[in-house]
Amino acid sequence: MLVDRGWAPLGATREVLPDVAVGAGEREVSGILDVLPIRPQSRPAARRRAGWPRVLLFPTEADVESALDVDVEARIILLDPGLPDGFERQWRPSLGFGPERHLGYAIQWFAFALLTAVLFVSLNLRRVGADQEPDPS
């Protein structure tokens, strides 16, 4: 059974990998049972390299079996955050701003939609004067 130990900080390049060694001996693990992540159709497969550790963004069961030369489950255990030998497990992307930044952008587009609707209605309504006859067509 594979164990997802969390996110480890990546080095300056993909060639400089972090130390992810675990002490010798048996370990008891607990966590949440999940399936292996599925690669999005638009994302190409990761470049393969020999040796360990190896960066695999979306490993398939066949990828892991061929790399380890053992049979593995198609499931994975997401390691409990309280257990040792793990990395960042409560990972959230830090983009430097929250969702509030997009509020102004949303208001801008709703204002454009409202302006478009008002212009459409005002330009497509014609007033028929008292001395003009309405167009029969």
Side-chain angles (χ1 to χ4, degrees):
M1 181 70 63
L2 299 172
V3 177
D4 183 345
R5 294 170 49 208
W7 292 87
L10 193 58
T13 68
R14 289 200 178 264
E15 304 303 319
V16 179
L17 297 176
D19 179 24
V20 293
V22 177
E26 291 185 12
R27 301 268 194 245
E28 184 175 317
V29 297
S30 65
I32 299 171
L33 188 62
D34 200 359
V35 295
L36 286 172
I38 299 171
R39 177 170 37 100
Q41 295 297 325
S42 62
R43 180 170 237 154
R47 184 178 47 175
R48 304 284 188 235
R49 68 177 254 180
W52 290 100
R54 187 177 300 170
V55 177
L56 296 173
L57 295 178
F58 298 97
T60 63
E61 184 179 356
D63 290 338
V64 177
E65 285 178 347
S66 68
L68 299 175
D69 200 27
V70 295
D71 291 335
V72 296
E73 291 281 331
R75 298 174 292 181
I76 191 167
I77 296 175
L78 305 175
L79 190 63
D80 189 339
L83 293 177
D85 293 323
F87 301 104
E88 180 66 39
R89 286 163 270 183
Q90 299 296 328
W91 184 81
R92 293 186 64 191
S94 176
L95 303 174
F97 59 87
E100 300 82 25
R101 177 178 178 175
H102 301 290
L103 182 61
Y105 190 64
I107 290 171
Q108 170 188 341
W109 281 104
F110 281 115
F112 283 146
L114 179 62
L115 176 64
T116 303
V118 168
L119 285 174
F120 177 79
V121 169
S122 65
L123 293 175
N124 286 302
L125 289 179
R126 290 188 288 196
R127 293 185 186 192
V128 178
D131 58 322
Q132 293 179 338
E133 292 184 23
D135 189 15
S137 57

